[in-house]
Amino acid sequence: MAAERRTDARVDRACTNYRRVLIAYPRTFREEFGDDLVQAFRDLLLMSGERGVWWRTVRDLFASAPREHVAAMREGKRPSPWLLALVLVLLIPAVLTGGFLPEVYLMIGCLLVLPIIGINRLHRAFVVRRTTGGAILGLVAVGIACFVPGAALLVWVGPDRGWVIGAMVVLALIVGSVLGIVGGVAALIRARKSGERTPRQALVGAGVAVVVIGGLISAAYISYRNSQPPTGDHSVANASAETRALWVAADTGDVETVKRLAATCADPWVQFPTPDGKHDAHGAADSRLLDLPDDQEPPYAEIMKILGPAKESWYDRCGASAAEK
Amino acid sequence: MAKAAKAAASEDPTPFVPLAPAPLHIVLALNRGERHGYGIIKEVEYLSDGVIKMGPGSLYGSIKKLVAQGLIEESDVRPDPALDDERRKYYRLTGLGRAVCAAELERLSNLVARTQRSAPARLIGGTA
Protein backbone atom coordinates (compact mmCIF):
# COMPACT_ATOMS: atom_id res chain seq x y z
CA MET A 1 0.00 0.00 0.00
CA ALA A 2 2.81 2.38 0.97
CA ALA A 3 4.72 1.45 -2.18
CA GLU A 4 1.63 2.19 -4.29
CA ARG A 5 1.24 5.60 -2.65
CA ARG A 6 4.91 6.30 -3.32
CA THR A 7 4.47 5.36 -7.00
CA ASP A 8 1.35 7.54 -7.27
CA ALA A 9 3.20 10.51 -5.78
CA ARG A 10 6.11 9.97 -8.17
CA VAL A 11 3.77 9.74 -11.16
CA ASP A 12 1.92 12.89 -10.05
CA ARG A 13 5.23 14.73 -9.71
CA ALA A 14 6.38 13.53 -13.14
CA CYS A 15 3.05 14.65 -14.65
CA THR A 16 3.39 18.10 -13.03
CA ASN A 17 6.88 18.39 -14.54
CA TYR A 18 5.63 17.20 -17.92
CA ARG A 19 2.86 19.82 -17.83
CA ARG A 20 5.58 22.46 -17.35
CA VAL A 21 7.50 21.08 -20.31
CA LEU A 22 4.39 21.51 -22.48
CA ILE A 23 5.26 25.21 -22.68
CA ALA A 24 7.38 24.13 -25.67
CA TYR A 25 4.15 23.66 -27.66
CA PRO A 26 2.03 26.49 -29.08
CA ARG A 27 -0.57 27.87 -26.65
CA THR A 28 -3.55 26.81 -28.80
CA PHE A 29 -2.25 23.23 -29.00
CA ARG A 30 -1.68 23.19 -25.22
CA GLU A 31 -5.15 24.51 -24.54
CA GLU A 32 -6.78 21.95 -26.83
CA PHE A 33 -4.72 18.87 -26.00
CA GLY A 34 -2.73 19.69 -22.84
CA ASP A 35 -4.84 17.48 -20.55
CA ASP A 36 -4.82 14.66 -23.11
CA LEU A 37 -1.04 14.85 -23.48
CA VAL A 38 -0.61 14.64 -19.72
CA GLN A 39 -3.12 11.77 -19.52
CA ALA A 40 -1.24 9.81 -22.22
CA PHE A 41 2.04 10.52 -20.40
CA ARG A 42 0.50 9.34 -17.11
CA ASP A 43 -0.73 6.15 -18.79
CA LEU A 44 2.72 5.55 -20.29
CA LEU A 45 4.29 5.95 -16.84
CA LEU A 46 1.78 3.70 -15.12
CA MET A 47 1.56 0.98 -17.77
CA SER A 48 5.16 0.90 -18.98
CA GLY A 49 6.65 0.85 -15.49
CA GLU A 50 8.30 4.28 -16.02
CA ARG A 51 11.25 2.77 -17.90
CA GLY A 52 12.40 4.99 -20.77
CA VAL A 53 9.21 7.07 -20.74
CA TRP A 54 10.96 10.39 -20.12
CA TRP A 55 13.57 9.73 -22.81
CA ARG A 56 10.85 8.77 -25.30
CA THR A 57 8.74 11.80 -24.37
CA VAL A 58 11.60 14.33 -24.59
CA ARG A 59 12.70 12.95 -27.97
CA ASP A 60 9.10 13.22 -29.12
CA LEU A 61 8.91 16.77 -27.78
CA PHE A 62 11.93 17.87 -29.84
CA ALA A 63 10.36 16.34 -32.95
CA SER A 64 6.75 17.40 -32.48
CA ALA A 65 7.00 20.88 -30.88
CA PRO A 66 8.64 22.57 -33.93
CA ARG A 67 6.07 20.83 -36.17
CA GLU A 68 3.21 22.20 -34.10
CA HIS A 69 4.69 25.70 -34.13
CA VAL A 70 4.99 25.61 -37.93
CA ALA A 71 1.39 24.31 -38.14
CA ALA A 72 0.21 27.09 -35.80
CA MET A 73 1.98 29.76 -37.87
CA ARG A 74 0.37 28.36 -41.04
CA GLU A 75 -2.97 28.76 -39.31
CA GLY A 76 -2.10 32.42 -38.78
CA LYS A 77 -1.28 32.14 -35.05
CA ARG A 78 1.47 34.34 -33.65
CA PRO A 79 4.63 32.47 -32.51
CA SER A 80 5.38 32.72 -28.79
CA PRO A 81 8.07 35.30 -27.90
CA TRP A 82 9.75 32.62 -25.75
CA LEU A 83 10.05 30.35 -28.79
CA LEU A 84 11.47 33.20 -30.85
CA ALA A 85 13.94 33.98 -28.04
CA LEU A 86 15.00 30.31 -27.90
CA VAL A 87 15.55 30.15 -31.67
CA LEU A 88 17.60 33.39 -31.54
CA VAL A 89 19.65 32.16 -28.55
CA LEU A 90 20.43 28.98 -30.48
CA LEU A 91 21.09 30.61 -33.86
CA ILE A 92 22.96 33.85 -33.07
CA PRO A 93 25.94 32.14 -31.36
CA ALA A 94 26.02 29.55 -34.16
CA VAL A 95 26.25 32.32 -36.76
CA LEU A 96 28.85 34.30 -34.76
CA THR A 97 31.06 31.27 -33.98
CA GLY A 98 30.49 29.46 -37.27
CA GLY A 99 28.93 26.34 -35.74
CA PHE A 100 27.06 24.79 -32.82
CA LEU A 101 29.81 24.68 -30.17
CA PRO A 102 28.70 22.80 -27.01
CA GLU A 103 30.85 24.98 -24.71
CA VAL A 104 29.13 28.13 -25.98
CA TYR A 105 25.69 26.66 -25.24
CA LEU A 106 26.92 25.51 -21.81
CA MET A 107 27.86 29.14 -21.09
CA ILE A 108 24.52 30.40 -22.40
CA GLY A 109 22.64 27.82 -20.33
CA CYS A 110 24.53 28.64 -17.11
CA LEU A 111 24.85 32.41 -17.51
CA LEU A 112 21.70 33.40 -19.37
CA VAL A 113 18.93 30.79 -19.36
CA LEU A 114 19.27 29.54 -15.76
CA PRO A 115 19.57 33.05 -14.25
CA ILE A 116 16.42 34.10 -16.17
CA ILE A 117 14.61 31.05 -14.72
CA GLY A 118 16.05 31.94 -11.30
CA ILE A 119 14.80 35.53 -11.52
CA ASN A 120 11.39 34.20 -12.59
CA ARG A 121 11.26 31.88 -9.55
CA LEU A 122 12.29 34.66 -7.16
CA HIS A 123 9.77 37.00 -8.78
CA ARG A 124 7.05 34.42 -8.18
CA ALA A 125 8.15 33.92 -4.59
CA PHE A 126 8.32 37.58 -3.60
CA VAL A 127 6.10 39.47 -6.00
CA VAL A 128 3.37 37.17 -7.32
CA ARG A 129 2.88 35.43 -3.95
CA ARG A 130 0.24 33.01 -5.06
CA THR A 131 1.76 30.27 -3.00
CA THR A 132 1.99 29.13 0.59
CA GLY A 133 4.99 29.38 2.95
CA GLY A 134 6.56 26.01 2.09
CA ALA A 135 6.19 26.60 -1.63
CA ILE A 136 7.74 30.08 -1.31
CA LEU A 137 10.80 28.52 0.35
CA GLY A 138 10.96 26.01 -2.50
CA LEU A 139 10.78 28.79 -5.11
CA VAL A 140 13.51 30.76 -3.33
CA ALA A 141 15.71 27.66 -3.12
CA VAL A 142 15.24 26.90 -6.83
CA GLY A 143 15.74 30.59 -7.69
CA ILE A 144 19.05 30.73 -5.84
CA ALA A 145 20.14 27.32 -7.15
CA CYS A 146 19.71 28.60 -10.73
CA PHE A 147 22.58 31.05 -10.17
CA VAL A 148 24.99 28.42 -8.80
CA PRO A 149 26.11 26.83 -12.12
CA GLY A 150 26.78 30.31 -13.58
CA ALA A 151 28.81 31.35 -10.53
CA ALA A 152 30.79 28.09 -10.63
CA LEU A 153 31.47 28.59 -14.34
CA LEU A 154 32.74 32.15 -13.79
CA VAL A 155 35.07 30.96 -11.02
CA TRP A 156 36.33 28.20 -13.31
CA VAL A 157 36.83 30.58 -16.27
CA GLY A 158 39.13 32.77 -14.13
CA PRO A 159 40.45 36.12 -15.41
CA ASP A 160 38.59 35.77 -18.72
CA ARG A 161 35.27 36.10 -16.89
CA GLY A 162 34.89 39.73 -17.96
CA TRP A 163 34.97 38.68 -21.59
CA VAL A 164 32.44 35.88 -20.97
CA ILE A 165 30.03 38.17 -19.08
CA GLY A 166 30.39 40.80 -21.82
CA ALA A 167 29.56 38.23 -24.52
CA MET A 168 26.45 37.12 -22.61
CA VAL A 169 25.30 40.72 -22.10
CA VAL A 170 25.76 41.42 -25.83
CA LEU A 171 23.84 38.24 -26.72
CA ALA A 172 21.02 39.16 -24.33
CA LEU A 173 20.89 42.68 -25.81
CA ILE A 174 20.76 41.33 -29.38
CA VAL A 175 18.03 38.78 -28.54
CA GLY A 176 16.03 41.33 -26.55
CA SER A 177 16.35 43.95 -29.28
CA VAL A 178 15.34 41.59 -32.08
CA LEU A 179 12.31 40.51 -30.01
CA GLY A 180 11.44 44.15 -29.34
CA ILE A 181 11.66 45.07 -33.04
CA VAL A 182 9.68 41.97 -34.14
CA GLY A 183 7.05 42.65 -31.44
CA GLY A 184 6.78 46.31 -32.44
CA VAL A 185 6.46 45.55 -36.17
CA ALA A 186 3.89 42.79 -35.45
CA ALA A 187 1.88 45.19 -33.24
CA LEU A 188 2.00 47.81 -35.99
CA ILE A 189 0.78 45.34 -38.64
CA ARG A 190 -2.00 44.07 -36.33
CA ALA A 191 -3.09 47.63 -35.58
CA ARG A 192 -3.14 48.50 -39.30
CA LYS A 193 -5.28 45.45 -40.05
CA SER A 194 -7.73 45.99 -37.20
CA GLY A 195 -7.81 49.78 -37.56
CA GLU A 196 -6.98 50.24 -33.85
CA ARG A 197 -4.20 52.36 -32.38
CA THR A 198 -0.77 50.75 -32.06
CA PRO A 199 -0.02 50.01 -28.39
CA ARG A 200 2.43 52.63 -27.07
CA GLN A 201 4.43 50.02 -25.15
CA ALA A 202 5.18 48.08 -28.35
CA LEU A 203 6.38 51.23 -30.12
CA VAL A 204 8.55 52.30 -27.18
CA GLY A 205 9.97 48.75 -26.96
CA ALA A 206 10.77 48.71 -30.67
CA GLY A 207 12.32 52.21 -30.43
CA VAL A 208 14.56 51.19 -27.54
CA ALA A 209 15.50 48.01 -29.42
CA VAL A 210 16.49 50.01 -32.52
CA VAL A 211 18.65 52.31 -30.35
CA VAL A 212 20.31 49.32 -28.63
CA ILE A 213 20.98 47.55 -31.94
CA GLY A 214 22.30 50.83 -33.36
CA GLY A 215 24.58 51.19 -30.33
CA LEU A 216 25.88 47.65 -30.71
CA ILE A 217 26.57 48.14 -34.42
CA SER A 218 28.35 51.46 -33.72
CA ALA A 219 30.44 49.86 -30.97
CA ALA A 220 31.35 46.98 -33.31
CA TYR A 221 32.31 49.48 -36.05
CA ILE A 222 34.44 51.61 -33.69
CA SER A 223 36.13 48.47 -32.35
CA TYR A 224 36.84 47.33 -35.93
CA ARG A 225 38.16 50.76 -36.93
CA ASN A 226 40.45 50.90 -33.88
CA SER A 227 41.84 47.49 -34.69
CA GLN A 228 42.96 48.63 -38.16
CA PRO A 229 46.63 49.70 -38.50
CA PRO A 230 47.31 53.43 -38.97
CA THR A 231 48.77 54.74 -42.24
CA GLY A 232 52.32 53.55 -42.90
CA ASP A 233 54.32 50.48 -43.82
CA HIS A 234 53.62 47.66 -41.35
CA SER A 235 54.93 44.79 -43.48
CA VAL A 236 57.06 42.04 -41.95
CA ALA A 237 59.62 42.37 -44.73
CA ASN A 238 60.42 45.99 -43.75
CA ALA A 239 60.17 45.48 -39.98
CA SER A 240 63.11 46.94 -38.05
CA ALA A 241 65.25 44.93 -35.61
CA GLU A 242 63.57 46.91 -32.80
CA THR A 243 60.10 45.88 -34.02
CA ARG A 244 61.16 42.23 -34.19
CA ALA A 245 62.64 42.42 -30.68
CA LEU A 246 59.37 43.94 -29.38
CA TRP A 247 57.34 41.08 -30.86
CA VAL A 248 59.68 38.41 -29.43
CA ALA A 249 59.59 40.09 -25.99
CA ALA A 250 55.77 40.17 -26.09
CA ASP A 251 55.65 36.52 -27.11
CA THR A 252 58.10 35.38 -24.42
CA GLY A 253 56.61 37.50 -21.61
CA ASP A 254 59.63 39.81 -21.19
CA VAL A 255 57.86 42.76 -19.55
CA GLU A 256 60.92 44.98 -19.11
CA THR A 257 61.97 44.76 -22.77
CA VAL A 258 58.41 45.41 -23.92
CA LYS A 259 58.19 48.44 -21.61
CA ARG A 260 61.47 49.81 -23.03
CA LEU A 261 60.70 49.18 -26.71
CA ALA A 262 57.08 50.37 -26.43
CA ALA A 263 58.45 53.84 -25.66
CA THR A 264 60.50 53.86 -28.88
CA CYS A 265 59.40 53.63 -32.51
CA ALA A 266 59.29 49.82 -32.56
CA ASP A 267 56.12 49.15 -34.56
CA PRO A 268 53.51 47.23 -32.51
CA TRP A 269 51.23 46.97 -35.59
CA VAL A 270 53.40 44.55 -37.58
CA GLN A 271 51.79 41.13 -37.82
CA PHE A 272 54.28 38.26 -37.69
CA PRO A 273 53.26 34.79 -38.83
CA THR A 274 52.69 32.19 -36.08
CA PRO A 275 51.53 28.56 -36.25
CA ASP A 276 47.92 29.69 -35.59
CA GLY A 277 47.79 32.66 -37.99
CA LYS A 278 49.24 36.16 -37.90
CA HIS A 279 49.56 38.27 -34.73
CA ASP A 280 50.96 41.66 -33.86
CA ALA A 281 52.82 41.97 -30.52
CA HIS A 282 49.60 42.66 -28.59
CA GLY A 283 47.91 39.66 -30.26
CA ALA A 284 50.89 37.43 -29.47
CA ALA A 285 50.58 38.24 -25.75
CA ASP A 286 46.80 37.78 -25.91
CA SER A 287 47.17 34.37 -27.52
CA ARG A 288 49.62 33.31 -24.78
CA LEU A 289 47.19 34.59 -22.15
CA LEU A 290 44.48 32.30 -23.51
CA ASP A 291 46.70 29.22 -23.66
CA LEU A 292 48.68 29.41 -20.42
CA PRO A 293 47.62 28.33 -16.91
CA ASP A 294 46.52 31.10 -14.50
CA ASP A 295 49.84 31.32 -12.61
CA GLN A 296 51.82 32.09 -15.80
CA GLU A 297 49.41 34.76 -17.09
CA PRO A 298 50.41 37.94 -15.12
CA PRO A 299 53.36 39.07 -17.33
CA TYR A 300 51.24 38.70 -20.49
CA ALA A 301 48.35 40.63 -18.93
CA GLU A 302 50.81 43.42 -18.08
CA ILE A 303 52.30 43.37 -21.59
CA MET A 304 48.82 43.78 -23.06
CA LYS A 305 48.22 46.77 -20.80
CA ILE A 306 51.46 48.35 -22.10
CA LEU A 307 50.94 47.54 -25.78
CA GLY A 308 47.32 48.72 -26.00
CA PRO A 309 48.18 52.41 -25.47
CA ALA A 310 51.46 51.97 -27.40
CA LYS A 311 49.48 50.89 -30.48
CA GLU A 312 47.04 53.76 -30.15
CA SER A 313 49.79 56.39 -29.77
CA TRP A 314 52.22 54.90 -32.31
CA TYR A 315 51.13 57.01 -35.30
CA ASP A 316 51.36 60.29 -33.36
CA ARG A 317 54.75 59.35 -31.94
CA CYS A 318 56.41 57.76 -34.98
CA GLY A 319 54.00 57.74 -37.95
CA ALA A 320 55.34 60.89 -39.57
CA SER A 321 58.98 59.81 -39.35
CA ALA A 322 58.02 56.33 -40.62
CA ALA A 323 56.28 57.93 -43.61
CA GLU A 324 59.37 60.04 -44.37
CA LYS A 325 61.50 56.91 -44.55
CA MET B 1 -7.25 22.17 -48.43
CA ALA B 2 -10.49 23.15 -50.17
CA LYS B 3 -10.11 20.03 -52.31
CA ALA B 4 -9.78 17.91 -49.17
CA ALA B 5 -12.85 19.60 -47.63
CA LYS B 6 -14.85 18.83 -50.78
CA ALA B 7 -13.58 15.24 -50.70
CA ALA B 8 -14.49 14.95 -47.02
CA ALA B 9 -18.03 16.10 -47.79
CA SER B 10 -18.38 13.50 -50.55
CA GLU B 11 -16.50 10.82 -48.51
CA ASP B 12 -14.03 10.36 -51.36
CA PRO B 13 -10.81 8.88 -49.89
CA THR B 14 -8.61 9.62 -52.93
CA PRO B 15 -7.13 13.03 -51.87
CA PHE B 16 -6.09 11.62 -48.46
CA VAL B 17 -4.11 8.67 -49.85
CA PRO B 18 -1.25 8.01 -49.21
CA LEU B 19 -1.19 9.02 -45.55
CA ALA B 20 2.05 9.88 -43.74
CA PRO B 21 3.37 7.04 -41.51
CA ALA B 22 2.07 8.37 -38.16
CA PRO B 23 -1.51 9.17 -39.30
CA LEU B 24 -1.59 5.92 -41.28
CA HIS B 25 -0.77 3.87 -38.19
CA ILE B 26 -3.32 5.78 -36.09
CA VAL B 27 -6.02 5.11 -38.69
CA LEU B 28 -5.01 1.43 -38.81
CA ALA B 29 -5.07 1.28 -34.99
CA LEU B 30 -8.57 2.80 -34.85
CA ASN B 31 -9.74 0.44 -37.59
CA ARG B 32 -9.55 -2.24 -34.90
CA GLY B 33 -11.91 -0.32 -32.60
CA GLU B 34 -12.27 2.84 -30.49
CA ARG B 35 -9.23 3.72 -28.47
CA HIS B 36 -7.89 6.38 -26.10
CA GLY B 37 -4.46 8.03 -26.49
CA TYR B 38 -2.41 5.41 -24.68
CA GLY B 39 -4.43 2.63 -26.37
CA ILE B 40 -3.51 4.07 -29.79
CA ILE B 41 0.18 4.34 -28.82
CA LYS B 42 0.21 0.66 -27.80
CA GLU B 43 -1.76 -0.50 -30.85
CA VAL B 44 0.60 1.39 -33.19
CA GLU B 45 3.54 -0.27 -31.46
CA TYR B 46 1.92 -3.66 -31.92
CA LEU B 47 1.01 -3.06 -35.59
CA SER B 48 4.47 -1.76 -36.47
CA ASP B 49 6.18 -4.56 -34.58
CA GLY B 50 7.65 -2.03 -32.13
CA VAL B 51 9.26 0.08 -34.88
CA ILE B 52 7.00 3.12 -34.37
CA LYS B 53 6.99 4.30 -30.75
CA MET B 54 4.90 7.43 -30.57
CA GLY B 55 5.12 9.98 -27.81
CA PRO B 56 2.14 12.05 -26.61
CA GLY B 57 3.12 15.11 -28.71
CA SER B 58 3.33 13.28 -32.04
CA LEU B 59 0.16 11.34 -31.24
CA TYR B 60 -2.01 14.36 -30.52
CA GLY B 61 -0.40 16.37 -33.34
CA SER B 62 -1.57 13.66 -35.76
CA ILE B 63 -4.94 13.30 -34.01
CA LYS B 64 -5.52 17.05 -34.38
CA LYS B 65 -4.83 16.83 -38.12
CA LEU B 66 -6.97 13.70 -38.59
CA VAL B 67 -9.90 15.25 -36.69
CA ALA B 68 -9.61 18.40 -38.83
CA GLN B 69 -9.61 16.27 -42.00
CA GLY B 70 -12.70 14.43 -40.76
CA LEU B 71 -11.02 11.00 -40.74
CA ILE B 72 -11.48 10.41 -36.99
CA GLU B 73 -13.71 11.86 -34.29
CA GLU B 74 -14.00 11.85 -30.54
CA SER B 75 -16.31 9.10 -29.34
CA ASP B 76 -19.22 9.90 -27.01
CA VAL B 77 -19.22 6.41 -25.59
CA ARG B 78 -17.50 6.25 -22.21
CA PRO B 79 -16.62 3.02 -20.42
CA ASP B 80 -17.76 2.50 -16.82
CA PRO B 81 -15.81 5.01 -14.64
CA ALA B 82 -15.09 2.14 -12.26
CA LEU B 83 -13.21 0.35 -15.02
CA ASP B 84 -11.51 3.26 -16.74
CA ASP B 85 -10.15 6.73 -16.03
CA GLU B 86 -12.93 9.11 -17.04
CA ARG B 87 -10.41 11.77 -18.09
CA ARG B 88 -9.47 9.62 -21.10
CA LYS B 89 -10.88 10.65 -24.47
CA TYR B 90 -11.74 7.91 -26.91
CA TYR B 91 -11.39 8.29 -30.68
CA ARG B 92 -12.98 6.35 -33.55
CA LEU B 93 -12.90 6.35 -37.35
CA THR B 94 -15.55 8.29 -39.25
CA GLY B 95 -17.11 6.89 -42.42
CA LEU B 96 -14.53 8.80 -44.45
CA GLY B 97 -11.79 7.47 -42.15
CA ARG B 98 -12.91 3.90 -42.78
CA ALA B 99 -12.92 4.57 -46.54
CA VAL B 100 -9.40 6.05 -46.36
CA CYS B 101 -8.24 3.08 -44.28
CA ALA B 102 -9.64 0.63 -46.84
CA ALA B 103 -8.05 2.60 -49.70
CA GLU B 104 -4.69 2.63 -47.88
CA LEU B 105 -4.83 -1.12 -47.20
CA GLU B 106 -5.65 -1.78 -50.85
CA ARG B 107 -2.81 0.50 -51.99
CA LEU B 108 -0.33 -1.20 -49.70
CA SER B 109 -1.38 -4.74 -50.69
CA ASN B 110 -1.16 -3.75 -54.38
CA LEU B 111 2.30 -2.32 -53.72
CA VAL B 112 3.45 -5.55 -52.09
CA ALA B 113 1.90 -7.71 -54.83
CA ARG B 114 3.50 -5.65 -57.63
CA THR B 115 6.86 -5.64 -55.89
CA GLN B 116 6.73 -9.42 -55.48
CA ARG B 117 5.85 -9.88 -59.14
CA SER B 118 8.52 -7.55 -60.55
CA ALA B 119 11.50 -7.73 -58.15
CA PRO B 120 14.09 -10.52 -58.21
CA ALA B 121 13.22 -13.17 -55.61
CA ARG B 122 16.38 -12.55 -53.58
CA LEU B 123 15.24 -8.98 -52.84
CA ILE B 124 12.02 -10.17 -51.21
CA GLY B 125 13.41 -12.95 -49.06
CA GLY B 126 13.55 -15.66 -51.75
CA THR B 127 16.46 -18.00 -52.41
CA ALA B 128 17.29 -17.30 -56.08
Side-chain angles (χ1 to χ4, degrees):
Chain A
M1 198 66 182
E4 256 176 42
R5 265 206 304 274
R6 224 173 18 245
T7 307
D8 283 351
R10 213 162 54 209
V11 168
D12 284 344
R13 213 166 36 243
C15 288
T16 308
N17 288 332
Y18 180 58
R19 199 177 276 282
R20 285 188 187 131
V21 171
L22 292 184
I23 196 159
Y25 290 104
R27 191 163 52 86
T28 46
F29 184 73
R30 279 198 319 264
E31 282 169 2
E32 195 175 351
F33 292 107
D35 292 341
D36 303 324
L37 288 162
V38 174
Q39 183 62 40
F41 179 71
R42 178 188 296 277
D43 287 341
L44 275 168
L45 283 174
L46 290 172
M47 312 282 188
S48 315
E50 300 184 34
R51 293 184 70 184
V53 173
W54 265 115
W55 171 235
R56 172 188 192 151
T57 308
V58 169
R59 254 187 343 180
D60 176 63
L61 182 94
F62 277 101
S64 58
R67 229 172 14 228
E68 290 310 321
H69 279 286
V70 172
M73 277 190 260
R74 278 190 181 162
E75 289 166 15
K77 309 266 174 14
R78 271 185 296 148
S80 127
W82 286 108
L83 173 81
L84 203 58
L86 182 70
V87 171
L88 288 172
V89 163
L90 288 175
L91 284 185
I92 291 171
V95 171
L96 293 178
T97 59
F100 290 92
L101 302 175
E103 58 270 30
V104 172
Y105 291 102
L106 177 75
M107 275 186 220
I108 292 171
C110 292
L111 295 169
L112 214 58
V113 179
L114 279 177
I116 288 173
I117 295 173
I119 290 168
N120 175 274
R121 300 287 96 179
L122 294 173
H123 177 261
R124 278 185 179 219
F126 294 112
V127 182
V128 180
R129 290 189 179 194
R130 278 189 210 137
T131 42
T132 54
I136 287 177
L137 275 182
L139 285 172
V140 172
V142 172
I144 292 171
C146 283
F147 289 90
V148 174
L153 187 76
L154 288 179
V155 170
W156 179 73
V157 166
D160 292 327
R161 67 177 71 93
W163 182 89
V164 171
I165 293 171
M168 290 302 121
V169 169
V170 169
L171 179 64
L173 284 175
I174 294 175
V175 171
S177 305
V178 173
L179 284 179
I181 292 170
V182 169
V185 171
L188 203 68
I189 292 171
R190 272 199 309 280
R192 279 270 169 94
K193 277 186 182 169
S194 64
E196 289 168 12
R197 279 186 64 187
T198 313
R200 216 171 118 199
Q201 275 177 323
L203 289 179
V204 171
V208 171
V210 169
V211 170
V212 171
I213 288 271
L216 286 173
I217 292 171
S218 310
Y221 173 71
I222 290 168
S223 163
Y224 168 77
R225 208 185 49 190
N226 290 346
S227 69
Q228 297 306 300
T231 322
D233 181 7
H234 306 285
S235 64
V236 177
N238 294 330
S240 66
E242 237 182 4
T243 297
R244 286 173 191 276
L246 174 69
W247 195 93
V248 171
D251 189 48
T252 52
D254 182 350
V255 181
E256 287 310 313
T257 307
V258 168
K259 208 180 275 177
R260 182 169 53 82
L261 292 174
T264 67
C265 282
D267 186 353
W269 288 97
V270 178
Q271 300 218 341
F272 288 90
T274 66
D276 60 334
K278 288 196 295 184
H279 292 302
D280 59 25
H282 187 270
D286 192 17
S287 133
R288 292 285 180 192
L289 201 63
L290 286 173
D291 295 342
L292 287 170
D294 290 357
D295 59 335
Q296 293 176 38
E297 284 181 352
Y300 290 100
E302 201 178 335
I303 286 171
M304 286 180 67
K305 275 186 203 158
I306 299 167
L307 287 178
K311 277 175 84 176
E312 281 170 24
S313 64
W314 182 83
Y315 187 78
D316 293 335
R317 289 186 288 114
C318 313
S321 59
E324 277 170 22
K325 284 175 199 171
Chain B
M1 204 62 190
K3 207 171 160 186
K6 209 181 276 180
S10 64
E11 302 227 331
D12 173 17
T14 326
F16 300 101
V17 178
L19 286 170
L24 169 67
H25 281 82
I26 292 173
V27 165
L28 293 177
L30 293 177
N31 194 36
R32 288 160 61 98
E34 295 184 7
R35 277 180 169 75
H36 52 68
Y38 175 73
I40 298 173
I41 289 175
K42 283 293 139 196
E43 187 66 23
V44 168
E45 260 181 61
Y46 167 74
L47 288 173
S48 66
D49 210 10
V51 173
I52 297 184
K53 291 187 172 183
M54 291 182 126
S58 300
L59 172 74
Y60 281 98
S62 299
I63 283 180
K64 183 186 169 193
K65 209 182 283 177
L66 289 169
V67 169
Q69 289 174 329
L71 303 190
I72 68 171
E73 63 190 358
E74 201 183 320
S75 165
D76 308 326
V77 183
R78 288 280 183 275
D80 184 348
L83 299 172
D84 196 7
D85 192 330
E86 54 191 342
R87 287 172 294 186
R88 285 175 174 155
K89 276 186 201 160
Y90 280 70
Y91 291 92
R92 66 179 171 210
L93 287 182
T94 57
L96 177 64
R98 268 192 295 279
V100 170
C101 185
E104 270 289 10
L105 286 173
E106 195 186 338
R107 183 184 69 82
L108 291 171
S109 59
N110 284 341
L111 179 75
V112 173
R114 276 191 200 134
T115 310
Q116 281 176 334
R117 275 202 304 273
S118 58
R122 63 190 169 81
L123 289 181
I124 51 174
T127 52

